[in-house]
Structures are given as C-alpha cells and as structure tokens.
Amino acid sequence: MINRSDILSMEYLKKSEYTGCHQGMRYRLEGVAGESEGKKLRCTVWPEPFNYVTTPEESKERAEFSFDEDGVTDAVAWMNDRLFEEKDKWEHAAEHWDSY
C-alpha cells in the first residue's frame, strides 16, 4: 500500500515531477496546466520494468486531481485502487522484459 508519507511535499511537486514504484507498479505525479481551473495534479501509473519515457503510452493509466494536499491524498487512494484492482498485472510486470 502506498501512503501519503511516501510522496514528497507539495513544495517539491510545485517544482518537479515525483516518481516512485510499489509492488510492480511505477508511478509519476506532476503538475500540469488545467483547462479552466488552473494547475492540476496528474498521476500516471504503468507496469515495471521500464521508466516513464520508455514505456509505451498504451501501457499507462492517468488520472487528474486538484493541485493541493487533498489532490495528493486522492491520487494516493487512486494508485492504491489500481494496485488492488489490477493486482495480477503488477505482480507479473517484471516478467515481461521482452514484450516491449
């Protein structure tokens, strides 16, 4: 399970993206310009073994949240939902080195 304390502060997220991994799932949080409400927090998850840049787009899942502390909490909950709902995908992710 990913905890809020695993993610760096809002001050860090204001300046740079944050990446991490947990049980075969890699993730990235970054600030992006929203269409009408201002800055949003985009959360992207994808299976190991590769980084964000080298992983094909079709292997990534994204969601956007408010760019504040509540948004980070919601992003963590969303990532934990992905971990639970797609458990088999993450557990076997590292077995697919040759599939990319």
Side-chain angles (χ1 to χ4, degrees):
M1 173 181 245
I2 301 169
N3 296 305
R4 170 59 186 101
S5 60
D6 296 331
I7 311 299
L8 293 179
S9 70
M10 284 303 301
E11 292 305 312
Y12 182 90
L13 291 172
K14 288 177 183 177
K15 297 176 184 175
S16 185
E17 70 275 347
Y18 177 79
T19 59
C21 63
H22 186 75
Q23 297 180 347
M25 182 182 80
R26 296 192 184 236
Y27 56 88
R28 174 178 163 146
L29 292 104
E30 63 187 313
V32 296
E35 292 193 19
S36 61
E37 304 100 34
K39 199 169 193 178
K40 302 293 265 177
L41 179 67
R42 178 178 293 157
C43 182
T44 307
V45 298
W46 66 95
E48 289 182 339
F50 299 112
N51 66 19
Y52 180 82
V53 175
T54 57
T55 299
E57 286 299 313
E58 61 270 10
S59 296
K60 298 174 187 174
E61 293 180 61
R62 290 187 174 89
E64 290 186 357
F65 306 92
S66 60
F67 196 79
D68 55 21
E69 197 57 47
D70 288 339
V72 176
T73 302
D74 292 342
V76 168
W78 179 78
M79 288 189 289
N80 284 321
D81 286 346
R82 303 280 56 78
L83 274 169
F84 177 74
E85 292 175 11
E86 301 175 83
K87 187 175 181 177
D88 202 45
K89 176 181 180 179
W90 312 119
E91 286 180 351
H92 300 289
E95 298 169 8
H96 303 289
W97 282 90
D98 296 333
S99 65
Y100 292 100

